[in-house]
Amino acid sequence: MDYFAVVLLEILYMIAFLALTSAGLAVVFGMMRVINLAHGEFVMVGGYTTIACYRAGIDLWFAMLVVAPLVVGVLGLIIERLVIRHLYGRMIDTMLATWGLSLLIVGLVTLIFGNSAVSVQAPISSYEIGQYQMGGYNLFIIAVAALLMIVLWLVMRFTRLGLVARGAMQNRDVAASLGYNPGRIYMWTFTVGAALSGLAGGVLAPLTGLLPSVGSSYIAKAFITVITGGAAIITGTLSSSLLFGTVNQIVSFASMPVVGEIAMLTLAIILLRLMPQGITGRFFKNSA
Amino acid sequence: MSVSRRQFLGSLSSVALGSMLPVADSLAQGAPIKVGSVLDNSGNLDIYGKPMVMATTLAVEEINAAGGLLGRKLQPIQYDTQSDIALYTKFAQQLVRQDKVDVVHGGITSASREAIRQTFTRANTLYFYNVLYEGGVCDRNIVVTGSTPAQAVEPIMDVAMKQWGKKVYILAADYNYGQITAKWIAHYAKERGGSVAKTDFFALDVSDFGSTIAKIQQEKPSFVISALVGGAHMSFYRQWAASGMNKKIPLASTTFGVGNEHLALSPAEGDGILIAGNYSQESTDAANKDFLARWSKRFNDTKIVHEIAVSQYQGIMLWAECVRKAGSLKREDMLKAIESGVSIVGPGGTVTIDPKTHHAALDIKVMEVKNQKLTVKSTVKQRPPLDTARYCDLQKNPKENKQFEVNV
């Protein structure tokens, strides 16, 4: 019984991890049809920002929840103005450009922080379920992911901002004809997407050893989660995170983590063969 | 002031000529001995490679300051392989054909070593591989000065099983090093009347260990031993501590500390981890203290000195000792010197080349992480490379050229 609870919590954690790390990519892909291959590096910069702030004596919570998203958001804004906006509608070119950007960011971070792993201790202590010790910080990650999804949904569903965003998503020309500048909307979308990646990097920093090259391990999982989820930001991310997180962890528990990852990737291939437009291309078509 | 292109090129070439003067100087007393090296000074593996490159520089400079070898200066020829296997083959060819070096010290991962080993063997260019690895290479042209699993695993299993008990849970990186090391761990556990609860392998990019940590708790082993490798696997130690397990089940490792992992973990997370290896900065040996003082004089920061940087330094010093003993750089003379049981005292202790396997007998220290330092608990002197010695006898079969898969 205790073991069952442990497995369940690990599944929840994996779902939260996937949702959190893919949210930024999903927002940008869903709204702008831009695949940002520097997404993993945004997450990585969020982590480094958190650790740099923490070392400078800033409160860890403030650093990960406020400073990291802000810094990466501004980074995203700059990149959008300098690079991305010239490449709208050219998906392959954007992928190439953002991939180049990712290399640049890795190089810069290496230059500043060096190439050895840095980390910060988890600020929440462990707790017990029966005879099992569990990381308390994992619960915080689950809470942040849940909160993030709820806030995203509320904004998209009930605010004027969300309405405009959804409008631009469905048809940018109509949105433009109604007086909303699509360029401006895209600029803020990219910034928000980057900020979400920064948030993910910040809150995940205490759970991993951070290296400048760590971005590549985030982008792979985020990429398949977003593509399998399809264009709808919230439903898409949630449905694919749910599916992949559950499959990955159940298989990991039954055999070992490597097989868990293989199962997840195999499932992604099968899903994309059956639903090339992603899960939300087939089901929940009118969701946000 | 305006400078024409011609003037500029003129002054540039005179600067270049000026900087070549020391080389011309050494030519006067005989051509320099060329010491080639191929190491990852950038890219993913530079955490290992950079200190190794520095160790190479230090060793060569020290030998030169002491008058060189055979009355000739050493000339280092260093290529940065950028953590790219393709560059290893390319630069190995270049060292052999173009630079015509007298010896090569280099290679970090086992994959990189196997990519270049045959090039040097075919060209009869002596090759020193100075990194701990999975064991089994049997080739008269190569000298291995790093430790192999049989050297480090048995001492740590001795201490761990005596301290903690007989049920072992093994975690290892999923490639030849981890797979083979895991076999040795199981072997030594069973030899001591212990049992293996479970063995889990992890691809190098796995960074979530939640399910594994839960499974470990279900098995309730006496202790966990890890042969995890690289940046992503660092996460295991953090998640282990975050779940509070570091207070409940003790942890030992054959790899921890090689990439300076103990500096990345806070004392609360890292304290108590048991490790085994050839080198600790905390060693109070005079040779080590002296070495760290020289390093800090040359590069300021000694923080990044790790086991394989020391291993590289010891490899070059060992080679220099062979040259002195041989009195020439001729292949036959050098091989005779190498197989004479030559020995040096380095920062990690005494290093002796075993004539049968061309591997090194090393002092292995069992250490405990304490306050981000590797405190030495006990030392096993002159531990021989038993794993490779099971299969490899270069005295009997000098023509042997393969890597044996150690099977226990």
Side-chain angles (χ1 to χ4, degrees):
Chain A
M1 188 59 216
D2 294 340
Y3 192 65
F4 181 72
V6 169
V7 174
L8 197 71
L9 273 167
E10 287 296 336
I11 292 175
L12 272 180
Y13 166 73
M14 188 44 104
I15 295 168
F17 174 88
L18 287 174
L20 205 57
T21 47
S22 341
L25 192 69
V27 165
V28 171
F29 174 68
M31 298 272 299
M32 304 155 58
R33 290 293 180 280
V34 165
I35 299 272
N36 175 19
L37 283 184
H39 170 73
E41 278 61 40
F42 283 9
V43 177
M44 180 267 288
V45 171
Y48 270 97
T49 309
T50 307
I51 285 176
C53 288
Y54 177 69
R55 285 183 179 170
I58 296 171
D59 181 59
L60 183 61
W61 298 108
F62 184 74
M64 65 169 72
L65 294 173
V66 180
V67 184
L70 270 181
V71 168
V72 181
V74 171
L75 177 74
L77 180 65
I78 297 170
I79 286 172
E80 199 275 344
R81 285 292 94 184
L82 292 178
V83 182
I84 311 288
R85 75 183 166 115
H86 304 291
L87 300 170
Y88 283 131
R90 293 155 58 185
M91 197 192 236
I92 302 293
D93 296 347
T94 348
M95 286 173 83
L96 200 61
T98 48
W99 185 59
L101 264 174
S102 79
L103 297 179
L104 178 72
I105 297 173
V106 170
L108 286 177
V109 171
T110 309
L111 218 57
I112 300 169
F113 290 95
N115 198 10
S116 41
V118 295
S119 58
V120 40
Q121 208 177 332
I124 300 178
S125 59
S126 59
Y127 63 98
E128 283 175 27
I129 299 179
Q131 51 179 326
Y132 293 96
Q133 290 274 139
M134 298 290 288
Y137 193 76
N138 287 12
L139 291 181
F140 171 71
I141 299 276
I142 296 171
V144 170
L147 212 65
L148 180 70
M149 285 297 145
I150 292 169
V151 169
L152 262 183
W153 181 74
L154 287 177
V155 169
M156 292 299 261
R157 188 75 185 77
F158 293 109
T159 65
R160 177 138 197 100
L161 201 72
L163 188 68
V164 173
R166 280 186 291 148
M169 221 170 114
Q170 283 179 4
N171 195 325
R172 62 171 279 168
D173 295 333
V174 174
S177 71
L178 289 172
Y180 295 101
N181 179 357
R184 192 49 49 98
I185 296 173
Y186 285 172
M187 180 179 90
W188 288 117
T189 307
F190 197 83
T191 308
V192 168
L196 289 178
S197 316
L199 176 74
V203 296
L204 288 173
L207 281 181
T208 49
L210 212 50
L211 279 166
S213 55
V214 80
S216 55
S217 67
Y218 289 121
I219 181 76
K221 280 190 193 131
F223 194 77
I224 58 160
T225 308
V226 170
I227 298 294
T228 312
I233 299 167
I234 300 167
T235 346
T237 310
L238 267 183
S239 53
S240 55
S241 307
L242 208 72
L243 210 58
F244 289 151
T246 312
V247 168
N248 182 326
Q249 286 297 32
I250 287 181
V251 178
S252 289
F253 269 104
S255 58
M256 54 171 99
V258 179
V259 186
E261 304 243 310
I262 294 172
M264 183 169 110
L265 292 170
T266 314
L267 180 68
I269 293 169
I270 295 169
L271 280 179
L272 283 177
R273 178 66 191 83
L274 298 176
M275 300 178 267
Q277 298 296 314
I279 298 171
T280 51
R282 165 82 54 102
F283 308 106
F284 322 108
K285 264 189 185 155
N286 296 314
S287 54
Chain B
M1 189 184 86
S2 75
V3 181
S4 75
R5 192 166 64 119
R6 194 163 291 176
Q7 276 170 336
F8 176 70
L9 286 176
S11 57
L12 196 71
S13 59
S14 62
V15 167
L17 273 177
S19 66
M20 278 168 65
L21 278 179
V23 178
D25 198 40
S26 67
L27 270 174
Q29 20 166 310
I33 299 173
K34 291 179 181 169
V35 182
S37 106
V38 272
L39 291 165
D40 303 312
N41 204 19
S42 58
N44 255 341
L45 294 172
D46 73 352
I47 180 172
Y48 302 119
K50 265 190 180 152
M52 290 178 81
V53 172
M54 293 159 92
T56 312
T57 309
L58 186 68
V60 168
E61 284 178 4
E62 282 180 11
I63 293 169
N64 277 340
L69 293 171
L70 313 176
R72 294 158 69 185
K73 292 272 182 210
L74 305 190
Q75 181 196 348
I77 298 176
Q78 155 72 36
Y79 291 110
D80 176 8
T81 36
Q82 298 167 30
S83 311
D84 180 352
I85 292 285
L87 288 180
Y88 270 98
T89 24
K90 181 184 156 192
F91 287 134
Q93 296 283 358
Q94 203 159 323
L95 282 171
V96 169
R97 300 197 192 292
Q98 195 179 313
D99 305 322
K100 299 199 173 21
V101 293
D102 296 292
V103 66
V104 177
H105 290 266
I108 299 182
T109 60
S110 291
S112 70
R113 179 197 65 242
E114 290 307 302
I116 58 181
R117 186 163 66 85
Q118 301 297 353
T119 306
F120 300 136
T121 302
R122 269 199 301 274
N124 282 337
T125 304
L126 209 54
Y127 173 37
F128 278 64
Y129 175 63
N130 303 314
V131 180
L132 68 128
Y133 86 114
E134 67 281 356
V137 169
C138 192
D139 175 353
R140 203 160 171 236
N141 190 58
I142 192 175
V143 177
V144 182
T145 65
S147 71
T148 55
Q151 292 177 289
V153 171
E154 193 170 13
I156 201 174
M157 290 302 282
D158 253 344
V159 175
M161 290 182 75
K162 230 174 262 164
Q163 257 180 9
W164 295 325
K166 295 193 180 300
K167 193 172 169 190
V168 191
Y169 198 110
I170 307 171
L171 309 174
D174 198 2
Y175 71 107
N176 52 4
Y177 172 77
Q179 294 275 0
I180 293 172
T181 305
K183 278 186 193 163
W184 277 105
I185 295 172
H187 171 74
Y188 286 122
K190 282 174 193 149
E191 207 178 74
R192 281 161 181 69
S195 63
V196 176
K198 208 165 179 307
T199 308
D200 279 344
F201 293 103
F202 301 90
L204 285 174
D205 61 349
V206 170
S207 63
D208 181 64
F209 292 88
S211 60
T212 308
I213 291 174
K215 272 195 270 184
I216 293 174
Q217 303 193 44
Q218 203 184 18
E219 292 286 349
K220 296 189 190 59
S222 319
F223 65 98
V224 177
I225 182 160
S226 108
L228 297 171
V229 173
H233 287 181
M234 268 282 300
S235 311
F236 168 73
Y237 302 105
R238 326 222 54 239
Q239 288 161 19
W240 183 251
S243 66
M245 286 307 297
N246 57 343
K247 303 273 183 294
K248 283 197 145 176
I249 297 178
L251 190 62
S253 172
T254 58
T255 45
F256 192 87
V258 175
N260 278 331
E261 284 89 346
H262 54 290
L263 297 179
L265 292 185
S266 72
E269 291 171 316
D271 276 6
I273 298 177
L274 193 70
I275 51 184
N278 178 234
Y279 182 68
S280 160
Q281 283 203 29
E282 306 312 310
S283 159
T284 49
D285 289 359
N288 177 46
K289 283 188 161 169
D290 206 43
F291 169 76
L292 288 175
R294 296 196 308 269
W295 181 291
S296 112
K297 203 167 153 203
R298 178 65 177 81
F299 303 112
N300 293 322
D301 187 14
T302 54
K303 231 180 164 180
I304 57 168
V305 178
H306 50 45
E307 167 154 342
I308 50 182
V310 168
S311 203
Q312 172 83 357
Y313 178 86
Q314 290 175 164
I316 296 173
M317 289 306 176
L318 207 49
W319 164 80
E321 192 54 39
C322 292
V323 176
R324 282 186 209 110
K325 225 172 173 178
S328 93
L329 287 164
K330 279 201 201 95
R331 184 177 163 78
E332 279 316 308
D333 296 339
M334 279 301 286
L335 283 176
K336 217 180 275 167
I338 288 169
E339 286 161 6
S340 69
V342 63
S343 174
I344 60 150
V345 177
T350 306
V351 188
T352 313
I353 300 180
D354 168 37
K356 271 189 176 174
T357 56
H358 280 212
H359 281 53
L362 295 161
D363 293 352
I364 297 294
K365 299 175 180 68
V366 177
M367 301 168 266
E368 191 182 303
V369 182
K370 212 176 257 172
N371 206 9
Q372 299 191 313
K373 292 198 165 98
L374 310 180
T375 333
V376 182
K377 292 188 74 170
S378 61
T379 307
V380 185
K381 293 262 183 218
Q382 290 302 289
R383 178 121 185 118
L386 289 176
D387 37 14
T388 314
R390 280 186 174 214
Y391 307 94
C392 183
D393 187 348
L394 290 164
Q395 306 274 283
K396 247 194 227 151
N397 313 306
K399 291 225 165 351
E400 195 84 76
N401 174 10
K402 67 187 280 194
Q403 177 172 15
F404 289 97
E405 282 262 347
V406 174
N407 205 349
V408 282

